[in-house]
Amino acid sequence: MLKFLIPVLLVFMVLPLQAQFGFDRELSIDVDEDGTPLKFPWAGGMDYCQFSNIDLDFDGDLDLFVFDRTCDKVMTFVQNGSAGEVDFQYAPQYESYFPKDLKNWALLVDYDCDGLPDLFTSTLGGCRVYKNIGGDGSGHEFELKSPLLRTNIYGGETYLYFSSADIPAIVDVDGDNDKDVLAFGVLGQTVEYHKNLSIETYGVCDSLIFETKNICWGRFQENGATNEVTLWDTLDYPCRSVDFDDPEFVDRPLDAEERHAGSTVLALDIDDSGVMDLVIGDASYPNLVMLRNSGLEVNTNSGMDLQDTNFPSETTPVDLEIFPGAFYVDVNNDGKRDLIASPNAKIGSENKTSVWMYNNVNTDADPEFDYIQNDFLQEDMIENGTSSLPVFFDHNGDGLMDLIVSSLGQYNPVTGNLISKMAYYENVGTADAPQYELITDDYEDISTMGIGETLALYPTFGDLDGDGDEDMILGEYEGYCYYLENTGGEGSPAIFNTFTLLTNADGAPILESTFVYPELVDLDRDGDQDLVIGRRSGKLHYYENTGVGTYNFDLISSNLGNVDVSGAEFIEGYAVPEFIDIDGVYHLLIGSKRGYLYYYSDIDDNLDGSFNLVDSITDNIAIGSHTAPAVANITDDNRLELALGNRRGGVELFQSAPTSNIGIATFANEQDILVFPNPATNQVFIDLGDIKPNALEQTEIGIYSIIGELVYRQERVQASLVSIAIDALPKGTYLVDITDGEKSIRKKLIVQ
């Protein structure tokens, strides 16, 4: 398997030397499920997704751009299959090409006919557009073209309305080669047609000039309370052809009580008639509805004359609990677009098998869909529902770190609720070559024990009764923690079959409001396991273990280290702590709701003071919201592995530089080494300070892109002040590595 070295600048700055090392993405460790190797286990999971085609690597094949609405996360997959073959590989190195502030929905559509797909995405009240200005040599690059699309209607200009809950269709409706828009209007009952006048105005399709031509395109109406569709032949206002041209129509009041909650729109010519038909999904229903256009030519305001309420009815129809969205993309590299359906809701829908794929067995102009699977791409990754929470734990006592992956919850189609399970992946490899195999998706049958609400379970392990094996503390949604004694014995597989409510030193239940993330760690280094609890507020509670031969948790601090990962714009942090002991020094990583990883130092001998916030790592680990870190050395190579959970329900894996780099001396004059100006535009200078001439000859400077590509190298530096032209580099974040072969330093460089 491939291993992409993608520096993500998880920077450990150890005082006072500020030595640095980064975690690189690790994709080489295998994971098996049901005896089958997963192709990309560490892709991070998928929940509620939108799909577009793009040739990411410019090899002529159509790859996949996936936008997961769950946490507004871009995922990229390259197509390696031959014609008619589905063979995607997760390719995270392309994700940084796309803007970081995408929200709600994102679709790739080539509006300017240059062969490069542009990006349409949600913004407050409407849509903003990024033009693709990239190319084969430089890769895809996007610049903001329109912060808010506008349209002309009733003789005036206004913004082009898009509900943030909907998905519009951006497609050539009238056959003139520029891209028009079909979207449900403000009341969400009828589809509006916004015609692009680029061809009419300039004779080319490179502009975004819209005029609202019809507020009841297709002459149908969706019920305000259900997903029932009334076709054109029985409709009154506003779908009669005379209404839109009636001057009094402009002032006619709209019935806000009939507002529809939300709909998704896919426009395609389903019957090769030359006019667009529609496939729509409804916010409260599990099915897709296909509406056939009765027209024989474009721009005739033809009405829909037939509906398929269980689309595609010729095969297994879509059934996705609530609010399905449909996407028309080529999946198997045969030049014909296929159908993918996925929920468009962030809650209340299937989140483990939530990507339905249908193969087009006819032509692109006259498609016919055959159901293939309900877990497209998900089948090849660790996928555990919503909000995954990984923890390393040696379950079977063989000395190898196994992996427990819990979650906020998996959708239960029987009850319509979420239930939290913990998947157990046994490490069946060796000390230096780990390999994981899924043993069960319900570790120790804990979901059936009746613990709390069986929601948002999060375990931590440590020997609390002095018998040599590791017991479990389990946090859950209601804010309580539970103690599960390990009766398996030292060196044997763990057994957890009873639980009791965890109490404090006064005998009262430990209650931390909803969502708790406990960690057992000998924080005061007295030989027993203390308890730190990450809280929904973003802060940490610290309970010292004062027991002898058993636990006795005494609350010491309600704001350990003055840590707060909620951020200025949030009142919630969802702090998931992970203490790391390296050579007798504690470091602290904390996951957060915002998706940032916070790194704190200055912990030892400072439990009643403020920890030092070294970095919030805001720009370099972009896996989505609700990060949950777990750190261990699973490869026995002096490197740490970082497993990161996220809102999408999967796990992403990273590997550190050698831990021996932490705290060692780097360049003696590191404080004098400067990279300036920073940010830089055309030229950057690197001042190596008073480094001696003989050391200069051994010094090498390398500049790496954020995807790990070497973009500049200079060996045998000749002077302590180095000038580097960077005008040819794309805008973005880079890493400057300076090394003399034994010691090194890394600096971050922003190119504007």
Side-chain angles (χ1 to χ4, degrees):
M1 299 179 69
L2 294 177
K3 177 179 178 181
F4 294 107
L5 295 179
I6 306 177
V8 291
L9 263 186
L10 183 52
V11 183
F12 279 38
M13 298 182 178
V14 180
L15 299 177
L17 299 175
Q18 294 187 321
Q20 305 178 28
F21 76 93
F23 275 100
D24 300 328
R25 187 179 288 276
E26 168 63 83
L27 299 180
S28 66
I29 295 176
D30 292 335
V31 179
D32 294 348
E33 290 190 5
D34 298 325
T36 302
L38 303 182
K39 289 179 60 178
F40 30 83
W42 310 108
M46 297 168 63
D47 279 352
Y48 314 124
C49 298
Q50 302 149 23
F51 296 82
S52 301
N53 278 135
I54 181 174
D55 186 359
L56 292 166
D57 49 8
F58 293 93
D59 67 348
D61 296 330
L62 288 179
D63 309 309
L64 276 183
F65 166 90
V66 181
F67 182 72
D68 195 327
R69 189 186 185 108
T70 313
C71 52
D72 299 321
K73 176 69 173 71
V74 170
M75 303 179 70
T76 49
F77 296 83
V78 295
Q79 173 68 271
N80 294 324
S82 56
E85 181 183 8
V86 181
D87 185 13
F88 286 102
Q89 182 64 48
Y90 181 49
Q93 64 268 37
Y94 297 106
E95 294 172 0
S96 62
Y97 290 174
F98 298 91
K100 300 185 188 312
D101 59 346
L102 306 181
K103 299 291 183 183
N104 300 315
W105 58 266
L107 299 171
L108 293 176
V109 181
D110 182 11
Y111 80 83
D112 55 1
C113 306
D114 65 353
L116 297 173
D118 309 296
L119 182 60
F120 291 70
T121 189
S122 173
T123 192
L124 183 62
C127 169
R128 69 182 185 274
V129 182
Y130 292 88
K131 177 180 170 61
N132 190 339
I133 59 172
D136 190 356
S138 60
H140 296 280
E141 182 180 353
F142 295 86
E143 69 173 13
L144 186 63
K145 174 67 174 180
S146 173
L148 185 63
L149 284 183
R150 304 185 70 82
T151 184
N152 284 282
I153 184 171
Y154 311 135
E157 188 181 58
T158 185
Y159 68 93
L160 204 167
Y161 173 79
F162 293 81
S163 168
S164 61
D166 293 357
I167 297 178
I170 303 166
V171 65
D172 182 11
V173 175
D174 55 5
D176 65 354
N177 212 33
D178 55 20
K179 296 300 186 289
D180 313 299
V181 170
L182 296 173
F184 277 88
V186 174
L187 295 186
Q189 292 180 264
T190 62
V191 168
E192 297 181 351
Y193 167 40
H194 306 280
K195 175 178 170 56
N196 191 343
L197 301 178
S198 180
I199 290 291
E200 288 78 2
T201 305
Y202 301 115
V204 291
C205 55
D206 63 353
S207 299
L208 298 166
I209 309 169
F210 291 100
E211 180 179 17
T212 304
K213 286 293 189 181
N214 197 327
I215 65 166
C216 190
W217 186 87
R219 299 166 67 187
F220 72 93
Q221 186 175 33
E222 191 173 21
N223 188 284
T226 72
N227 68 338
E228 294 180 359
V229 173
T230 305
L231 299 181
W232 67 278
D233 55 347
T234 59
L235 278 182
D236 294 324
Y237 163 89
C239 288
R240 297 174 302 182
S241 59
V242 298
D243 286 319
F244 195 70
D245 297 323
D246 185 353
E248 297 182 359
F249 170 74
V250 178
D251 300 320
R252 185 165 180 172
L254 299 175
D255 187 357
E257 293 184 359
E258 290 297 318
R259 179 183 296 273
H260 191 80
S263 298
T264 61
V265 181
L266 170 66
L268 73 166
D269 185 0
I270 200 75
D271 55 0
D272 199 17
S273 66
V275 295
M276 286 293 168
D277 310 295
L278 292 183
V279 176
I280 58 177
D282 185 274
S284 301
Y285 293 86
N287 59 308
L288 290 173
V289 176
M290 188 277 291
L291 303 176
R292 189 182 69 183
N293 198 324
S294 65
L296 299 178
E297 57 183 275
V298 298
N299 278 344
T300 58
N301 195 27
S302 52
M304 301 297 182
D305 67 346
L306 180 146
Q307 57 180 309
D308 179 355
T309 58
N310 283 293
F311 181 79
S313 57
E314 66 272 12
T315 185
T316 302
V318 169
D319 184 4
L320 274 167
E321 308 307 327
I322 60 171
F323 210 2
F327 307 92
Y328 199 34
V329 292
D330 185 1
V331 171
N332 59 358
N333 201 26
D334 64 356
K336 302 179 299 184
R337 285 171 291 179
D338 309 292
L339 181 72
I340 297 180
S342 185
N344 192 47
K346 291 186 178 181
I347 58 174
S349 192
E350 177 61 57
N351 58 12
K352 187 174 172 66
T353 54
S354 58
V355 182
W356 290 39
M357 196 269 278
Y358 296 79
N359 186 28
N360 183 356
V361 296
N362 203 19
T363 66
D364 191 71
D366 188 13
E368 181 180 341
F369 300 115
D370 183 33
Y371 171 78
I372 301 298
Q373 64 188 106
N374 63 4
D375 57 353
F376 174 60
L377 299 179
Q378 293 172 304
E379 66 174 340
D380 281 308
M381 62 183 72
I382 294 175
E383 170 58 72
N384 206 31
T386 292
S387 283
S388 51
L389 301 157
V391 175
F392 288 111
F393 169 58
D394 181 10
H395 163 79
N396 56 5
D398 64 355
L400 304 178
M401 296 305 291
D402 307 306
L403 180 65
I404 308 294
V405 183
S406 185
S407 69
L408 166 64
Q410 299 175 15
Y411 182 77
N412 185 337
V414 177
T415 64
N417 299 320
L418 295 177
I419 183 170
S420 184
K421 295 182 179 180
M422 298 193 296
Y424 165 44
Y425 292 85
E426 181 183 347
N427 187 344
V428 296
T430 63
D432 57 357
Q435 180 178 339
Y436 288 95
E437 179 180 346
L438 177 66
I439 302 301
T440 176
D441 69 348
D442 193 3
Y443 179 60
E444 298 287 281
D445 296 322
I446 286 176
S447 74
T448 65
M449 287 187 181
I451 297 178
E453 293 291 322
T454 316
L455 194 65
L457 300 179
Y458 183 70
T460 182
F461 301 91
D463 186 3
L464 293 174
D465 54 10
D467 63 356
D469 58 23
E470 293 195 334
D471 309 297
M472 182 196 304
I473 298 294
L474 188 66
E476 57 86 48
Y477 166 75
E478 290 182 313
Y480 293 99
C481 289
Y482 294 84
Y483 168 61
L484 290 83
E485 181 186 358
N486 182 356
T487 59
E490 185 176 1
S492 300
I495 299 175
F496 302 106
N497 51 26
T498 61
F499 67 89
T500 58
L501 191 64
L502 189 69
T503 57
N504 61 22
D506 297 325
I510 292 177
L511 178 62
E512 303 286 346
S513 77
T514 55
F515 295 100
V516 292
Y517 307 100
E519 183 179 12
L520 290 170
V521 56
D522 184 9
L523 200 57
D524 55 6
R525 298 190 183 278
D526 65 352
D528 57 22
Q529 297 292 304
D530 305 305
L531 178 65
V532 176
I533 296 180
R535 305 178 63 214
R536 185 176 187 174
S537 67
K539 300 179 181 181
L540 304 180
H541 275 190
Y542 166 44
Y543 293 81
E544 181 185 354
N545 188 350
T546 59
V548 178
T550 185
Y551 67 85
N552 187 58
F553 292 126
D554 190 6
L555 179 63
I556 301 300
S557 174
S558 295
N559 190 13
L560 177 64
N562 289 316
V563 165
D564 187 352
V565 299
S566 61
E569 70 271 32
F570 289 98
I571 60 173
E572 298 177 324
Y574 291 81
V576 183
E578 179 76 350
F579 286 90
I580 308 159
D581 186 340
I582 302 176
D583 295 331
V585 176
Y586 275 129
H587 309 266
L588 173 62
L589 285 182
I590 306 182
S592 69
K593 177 180 179 178
R594 294 196 296 170
Y596 300 161
L597 268 180
Y598 292 79
Y599 166 54
Y600 288 87
S601 64
D602 195 19
I603 297 165
D604 292 276
D605 300 319
N606 189 32
L607 300 184
D608 57 353
S610 295
F611 298 163
N612 176 45
L613 176 60
V614 179
D615 198 355
S616 59
I617 318 172
T618 57
D619 296 326
N620 303 289
I621 289 185
I623 69 168
S625 65
H626 293 79
T627 48
V631 177
N633 180 8
I634 63 174
T635 50
D636 196 25
D637 59 356
N638 198 32
R639 296 173 184 264
L640 296 174
E641 278 68 42
L642 166 68
L644 271 181
N646 62 71
R647 191 67 168 181
R648 293 173 285 128
V651 179
E652 300 190 42
L653 191 66
F654 303 85
Q655 187 180 68
S656 79
T659 57
S660 58
N661 285 357
I662 306 173
I664 67 169
T666 56
F667 285 97
N669 64 337
E670 178 180 339
Q671 298 292 341
D672 298 328
I673 294 179
L674 301 175
V675 176
F676 67 94
N678 197 0
T681 304
N682 299 312
Q683 189 175 36
V684 66
F685 294 91
I686 299 176
D687 187 348
L688 299 175
D690 58 359
I691 188 170
K692 297 179 180 180
N694 61 338
L696 281 176
E697 294 183 359
Q698 305 298 321
T699 299
E700 177 180 317
I701 297 174
I703 300 180
Y704 294 83
S705 72
I706 202 65
I707 65 171
E709 178 187 6
L710 180 67
V711 298
Y712 174 87
R713 171 177 286 169
Q714 181 173 343
E715 299 177 346
R716 301 177 65 86
V717 174
Q718 301 298 312
S720 60
L721 183 63
V722 180
S723 172
I724 303 173
I726 59 171
D727 54 313
L729 293 182
K731 299 177 182 178
T733 301
Y734 294 83
L735 303 178
V736 180
D737 277 350
I738 305 165
T739 180
D740 67 356
E742 296 181 357
K743 301 175 292 293
S744 65
I745 180 175
R746 173 176 287 174
K747 298 281 189 177
K748 182 165 67 173
L749 169 66
I750 306 296
V751 176
Q752 293 184 340

